[in-house]
Amino acid sequence: MKIIQLCGYKNSGKTTLITALIPLLKQQGLRVAVIKHDRHGFEMDHEGTDTYKFREAGAEGIAIASPGRTAMLRETEMELASLIQLYSDYDLVIVEGYKMQSYPKLVLLRGPEDIELVDQVEEIRGLVVRPDMLKEPSALHPIQLRTAVPLFTWNDTEPITSLLLSL
Protein backbone atom coordinates (compact mmCIF):
# COMPACT_ATOMS: atom_id res chain seq x y z
CA MET A 1 0.00 0.00 0.00
CA LYS A 2 1.23 3.48 -0.89
CA ILE A 3 0.38 6.57 1.13
CA ILE A 4 0.48 10.14 -0.17
CA GLN A 5 -0.57 13.29 1.64
CA LEU A 6 -1.95 16.39 -0.02
CA CYS A 7 -1.53 19.35 2.23
CA GLY A 8 -2.03 23.05 1.93
CA TYR A 9 -3.85 25.84 3.63
CA LYS A 10 -7.62 26.19 3.56
CA ASN A 11 -9.05 26.62 0.04
CA SER A 12 -5.80 25.59 -1.63
CA GLY A 13 -7.57 23.08 -3.88
CA LYS A 14 -6.79 19.83 -2.05
CA THR A 15 -10.23 18.26 -2.41
CA THR A 16 -10.58 19.43 -6.02
CA LEU A 17 -7.23 17.90 -6.97
CA ILE A 18 -7.96 14.64 -5.16
CA THR A 19 -11.30 14.25 -6.95
CA ALA A 20 -9.54 14.84 -10.28
CA LEU A 21 -6.80 12.30 -9.50
CA ILE A 22 -9.03 9.45 -8.30
CA PRO A 23 -10.48 8.52 -11.73
CA LEU A 24 -6.98 8.56 -13.27
CA LEU A 25 -5.64 6.31 -10.52
CA LYS A 26 -8.60 3.96 -10.88
CA GLN A 27 -7.89 3.75 -14.64
CA GLN A 28 -4.51 2.33 -13.63
CA GLY A 29 -6.33 -0.43 -11.74
CA LEU A 30 -5.69 0.97 -8.26
CA ARG A 31 -8.07 0.72 -5.32
CA VAL A 32 -7.98 4.18 -3.77
CA ALA A 33 -9.04 5.29 -0.29
CA VAL A 34 -9.11 8.86 1.01
CA ILE A 35 -8.73 10.04 4.59
CA LYS A 36 -9.63 13.67 5.21
CA HIS A 37 -8.70 15.62 8.30
CA ASP A 38 -11.23 18.27 9.32
CA ARG A 39 -9.90 20.64 11.98
CA HIS A 40 -13.35 22.11 12.59
CA GLY A 41 -15.37 18.96 13.14
CA PHE A 42 -18.02 17.56 10.83
CA GLU A 43 -21.53 16.17 10.88
CA MET A 44 -22.03 13.06 8.75
CA ASP A 45 -25.25 11.84 10.23
CA HIS A 46 -28.50 13.76 10.16
CA GLU A 47 -31.64 14.01 12.23
CA GLY A 48 -34.24 11.36 11.61
CA THR A 49 -31.91 8.48 10.76
CA ASP A 50 -31.56 5.48 13.04
CA THR A 51 -27.82 6.07 13.43
CA TYR A 52 -28.51 9.65 14.51
CA LYS A 53 -30.95 8.37 17.13
CA PHE A 54 -28.37 5.89 18.43
CA ARG A 55 -25.78 8.66 18.78
CA GLU A 56 -28.28 11.01 20.44
CA ALA A 57 -29.10 8.21 22.89
CA GLY A 58 -25.43 8.09 23.87
CA ALA A 59 -23.78 5.43 21.73
CA GLU A 60 -20.10 6.25 21.30
CA GLY A 61 -19.58 3.90 18.38
CA ILE A 62 -22.02 3.16 15.57
CA ALA A 63 -21.68 1.12 12.41
CA ILE A 64 -24.12 0.78 9.57
CA ALA A 65 -23.68 -1.66 6.72
CA SER A 66 -25.58 -2.36 3.54
CA PRO A 67 -24.76 -4.53 0.52
CA GLY A 68 -22.66 -1.80 -1.09
CA ARG A 69 -21.45 0.42 1.74
CA THR A 70 -20.30 0.41 5.35
CA ALA A 71 -19.89 3.44 7.59
CA MET A 72 -18.52 3.69 11.11
CA LEU A 73 -18.93 6.61 13.46
CA ARG A 74 -16.84 6.95 16.60
CA GLU A 75 -17.19 9.75 19.10
CA THR A 76 -13.42 10.18 19.29
CA GLU A 77 -10.63 11.21 16.97
CA MET A 78 -8.50 8.33 15.71
CA GLU A 79 -4.78 8.60 15.02
CA LEU A 80 -3.84 8.77 11.34
CA ALA A 81 -1.84 5.52 11.54
CA SER A 82 -4.93 3.69 12.85
CA LEU A 83 -7.07 5.11 10.06
CA ILE A 84 -4.52 4.06 7.47
CA GLN A 85 -4.55 0.51 8.87
CA LEU A 86 -8.28 0.34 8.13
CA TYR A 87 -7.36 0.61 4.43
CA SER A 88 -4.37 -1.75 4.42
CA ASP A 89 -5.94 -3.81 1.63
CA TYR A 90 -6.08 -0.78 -0.72
CA ASP A 91 -3.38 0.10 -3.23
CA LEU A 92 -3.21 3.81 -2.41
CA VAL A 93 -4.38 5.89 0.52
CA ILE A 94 -4.60 9.61 -0.15
CA VAL A 95 -4.50 11.67 3.02
CA GLU A 96 -5.90 15.19 2.88
CA GLY A 97 -4.40 17.27 5.64
CA TYR A 98 -2.43 16.07 8.67
CA LYS A 99 0.39 18.40 7.54
CA MET A 100 2.83 17.43 10.26
CA GLN A 101 2.73 13.68 9.68
CA SER A 102 5.76 12.13 7.97
CA TYR A 103 4.35 10.58 4.81
CA PRO A 104 5.27 11.55 1.23
CA LYS A 105 3.50 14.81 0.37
CA LEU A 106 2.31 17.02 -2.40
CA VAL A 107 2.13 20.57 -1.07
CA LEU A 108 -0.46 22.88 -2.64
CA LEU A 109 0.34 26.58 -2.66
CA ARG A 110 -2.25 29.25 -3.47
CA GLY A 111 0.42 31.88 -3.89
CA PRO A 112 3.70 33.25 -2.56
CA GLU A 113 2.03 33.95 0.78
CA ASP A 114 1.89 30.17 1.39
CA ILE A 115 5.63 29.58 0.92
CA GLU A 116 6.32 29.12 4.64
CA LEU A 117 4.43 25.82 4.46
CA VAL A 118 7.32 24.38 2.41
CA ASP A 119 9.62 24.99 5.39
CA GLN A 120 7.17 23.53 7.92
CA VAL A 121 6.53 20.06 6.47
CA GLU A 122 8.65 17.00 5.71
CA GLU A 123 8.72 14.43 2.93
CA ILE A 124 7.75 16.81 0.10
CA ARG A 125 7.64 14.96 -3.24
CA GLY A 126 6.08 17.71 -5.33
CA LEU A 127 4.64 21.21 -5.25
CA VAL A 128 1.33 22.14 -6.84
CA VAL A 129 0.68 25.80 -7.66
CA ARG A 130 -2.03 27.83 -9.36
CA PRO A 131 -1.52 27.88 -13.17
CA ASP A 132 -1.24 31.68 -13.17
CA MET A 133 1.77 31.44 -10.84
CA LEU A 134 3.79 30.08 -13.77
CA LYS A 135 3.41 33.53 -15.32
CA GLU A 136 5.04 35.03 -12.22
CA PRO A 137 8.61 33.66 -12.19
CA SER A 138 9.52 35.98 -9.34
CA ALA A 139 6.87 34.26 -7.19
CA LEU A 140 8.14 30.78 -8.07
CA HIS A 141 11.85 31.51 -7.59
CA PRO A 142 11.80 31.50 -3.76
CA ILE A 143 9.72 28.32 -3.81
CA GLN A 144 12.13 26.53 -6.15
CA LEU A 145 15.11 27.59 -4.02
CA ARG A 146 13.62 25.89 -0.97
CA THR A 147 13.23 22.42 -2.45
CA ALA A 148 14.28 20.47 -5.52
CA VAL A 149 11.05 18.61 -6.27
CA PRO A 150 8.81 18.60 -9.33
CA LEU A 151 6.57 21.62 -9.78
CA PHE A 152 3.04 21.09 -11.06
CA THR A 153 -0.05 23.19 -11.59
CA TRP A 154 -3.51 22.12 -10.48
CA ASN A 155 -4.25 21.15 -14.10
CA ASP A 156 -1.31 18.71 -14.37
CA THR A 157 -3.34 15.71 -13.24
CA GLU A 158 -1.70 13.19 -15.57
CA PRO A 159 1.91 14.08 -14.58
CA ILE A 160 0.86 14.12 -10.91
CA THR A 161 -0.70 10.68 -11.37
CA SER A 162 2.57 9.44 -12.88
CA LEU A 163 4.47 10.79 -9.89
CA LEU A 164 2.10 9.04 -7.47
CA LEU A 165 2.49 5.76 -9.33
CA SER A 166 6.28 6.05 -9.11
CA LEU A 167 6.42 6.59 -5.34
Coordinates of all heavy atoms in Angstrom, one line a residue, residues 19-20 27 36-37 58 63 65 77 81 98 100 105 112 116 123 128 131 134 154 156 159 167:
T19 N -10.2 14.8 -6.2 CA -11.3 14.2 -6.9 C -10.9 14.1 -8.4 O -11.5 13.3 -9.1 CB -12.6 15.1 -6.8 OG1 -12.3 16.4 -7.1 CG2 -13.1 15.0 -5.3
A20 N -10.0 15.0 -8.9 CA -9.5 14.8 -10.3 C -8.6 13.7 -10.4 O -8.5 13.1 -11.5 CB -8.9 16.1 -10.7
Q27 N -8.2 4.2 -13.3 CA -7.9 3.7 -14.6 C -6.6 2.9 -14.7 O -6.5 2.1 -15.6 CB -7.7 4.9 -15.6 CG -9.0 5.6 -16.0 CD -8.8 6.8 -16.8 OE1 -7.7 7.2 -17.2 NE2 -9.9 7.6 -17.1
K36 N -9.6 12.2 5.1 CA -9.6 13.7 5.2 C -9.6 14.1 6.7 O -10.4 13.6 7.5 CB -10.9 14.2 4.5 CG -10.9 15.8 4.6 CD -12.2 16.3 3.9 CE -12.4 17.8 4.1 NZ -11.4 18.6 3.5
H37 N -8.7 15.0 7.0 CA -8.7 15.6 8.3 C -9.5 16.9 8.3 O -9.3 17.8 7.4 CB -7.3 15.9 8.7 CG -7.2 16.3 10.2 ND1 -6.7 17.6 10.5 CD2 -7.4 15.7 11.3 CE1 -6.8 17.6 11.9 NE2 -7.2 16.5 12.3
G58 N -26.7 8.2 23.1 CA -25.4 8.1 23.9 C -24.4 7.1 23.4 O -23.4 6.9 24.0
A63 N -22.0 1.6 13.7 CA -21.7 1.1 12.4 C -23.0 0.8 11.7 O -23.9 0.4 12.3 CB -20.8 -0.1 12.5
A65 N -24.2 -0.9 7.9 CA -23.7 -1.7 6.7 C -24.8 -2.0 5.8 O -25.9 -2.3 6.3 CB -22.9 -2.9 7.1
E77 N -11.5 11.1 18.1 CA -10.6 11.2 17.0 C -9.7 10.0 17.0 O -9.1 9.7 18.0 CB -9.8 12.5 17.0 CG -9.0 12.7 15.8 CD -8.3 14.1 15.7 OE1 -8.4 14.9 16.7 OE2 -7.6 14.3 14.8
A81 N -2.4 6.9 11.8 CA -1.8 5.5 11.5 C -2.9 4.5 11.7 O -3.0 3.5 10.9 CB -0.7 5.2 12.5
Y98 N -3.4 16.6 7.8 CA -2.4 16.1 8.7 C -1.0 16.5 8.3 O -0.1 15.7 8.2 CB -2.5 14.5 8.7 CG -3.7 13.9 9.2 CD1 -4.8 13.5 8.4 CD2 -3.8 13.7 10.6 CE1 -5.9 12.9 8.9 CE2 -5.0 13.1 11.1 CZ -6.0 12.7 10.3 OH -7.1 12.1 10.8
M100 N 1.6 17.7 9.5 CA 2.8 17.4 10.3 C 3.2 16.0 10.3 O 4.2 15.6 10.9 CB 2.7 18.0 11.7 CG 2.6 19.5 11.7 SD 3.9 20.3 10.7 CE 3.1 21.8 10.3
K105 N 4.5 13.8 0.5 CA 3.5 14.8 0.4 C 3.6 15.5 -1.0 O 4.7 15.7 -1.5 CB 3.7 15.9 1.4 CG 3.4 15.5 2.8 CD 3.7 16.7 3.8 CE 3.5 16.3 5.2 NZ 4.3 15.2 5.6
P112 N 2.4 33.0 -3.3 CA 3.7 33.3 -2.6 C 3.5 33.4 -1.1 O 4.4 33.0 -0.3 CB 4.2 34.6 -3.1 CG 3.6 34.8 -4.4 CD 2.2 34.1 -4.3
E116 N 5.8 29.6 3.4 CA 6.3 29.1 4.6 C 5.9 27.7 4.9 O 6.6 27.0 5.6 CB 5.9 30.0 5.8 CG 4.5 29.8 6.3 CD 3.5 30.9 6.0 OE1 3.9 31.8 5.3 OE2 2.4 30.8 6.4
E123 N 9.1 15.4 3.9 CA 8.7 14.4 2.9 C 8.0 15.0 1.7 O 7.2 14.3 1.1 CB 7.9 13.3 3.5 CG 8.5 12.6 4.7 CD 9.6 11.7 4.3 OE1 9.7 11.2 3.2 OE2 10.5 11.5 5.1
V128 N 2.4 21.9 -5.9 CA 1.3 22.1 -6.8 C 0.9 23.6 -6.6 O 0.6 24.0 -5.5 CB 0.1 21.2 -6.6 CG1 -0.9 21.4 -7.6 CG2 0.6 19.7 -6.6
P131 N -2.1 27.7 -11.8 CA -1.5 27.9 -13.2 C -1.0 29.3 -13.4 O 0.0 29.5 -14.1 CB -2.7 27.5 -14.1 CG -3.6 26.6 -13.3 CD -3.4 27.1 -11.9
L134 N 2.7 30.3 -12.8 CA 3.8 30.1 -13.8 C 4.1 31.3 -14.6 O 5.2 31.5 -15.1 CB 3.4 29.0 -14.7 CG 3.3 27.6 -14.1 CD1 2.9 26.6 -15.1 CD2 4.5 27.2 -13.4
W154 N -2.3 22.9 -10.8 CA -3.5 22.1 -10.5 C -4.1 21.4 -11.7 O -4.8 20.4 -11.5 CB -4.6 23.0 -9.9 CG -4.2 23.7 -8.6 CD1 -3.3 23.2 -7.7 CD2 -4.7 24.9 -8.1 NE1 -3.2 24.0 -6.6 CE2 -4.1 25.1 -6.8 CE3 -5.6 25.8 -8.5 CZ2 -4.4 26.2 -6.0 CZ3 -5.9 26.9 -7.7 CH2 -5.3 27.1 -6.5
D156 N -2.2 19.8 -13.9 CA -1.3 18.7 -14.4 C -1.7 17.4 -13.8 O -0.8 16.7 -13.2 CB 0.1 19.1 -14.0 CG 0.7 20.3 -14.8 OD1 0.2 20.5 -15.9 OD2 1.5 21.0 -14.2
P159 N 0.6 14.2 -15.1 CA 1.9 14.1 -14.6 C 1.9 13.8 -13.1 O 2.8 13.1 -12.6 CB 2.5 15.4 -14.9 CG 1.7 16.0 -16.0 CD 0.4 15.4 -15.9
L167 N 6.0 6.5 -6.7 CA 6.4 6.6 -5.3 C 6.5 5.2 -4.7 O 5.8 4.3 -5.0 CB 5.5 7.5 -4.5 CG 5.4 8.9 -4.9 CD1 4.4 9.7 -4.1 CD2 6.8 9.6 -4.7

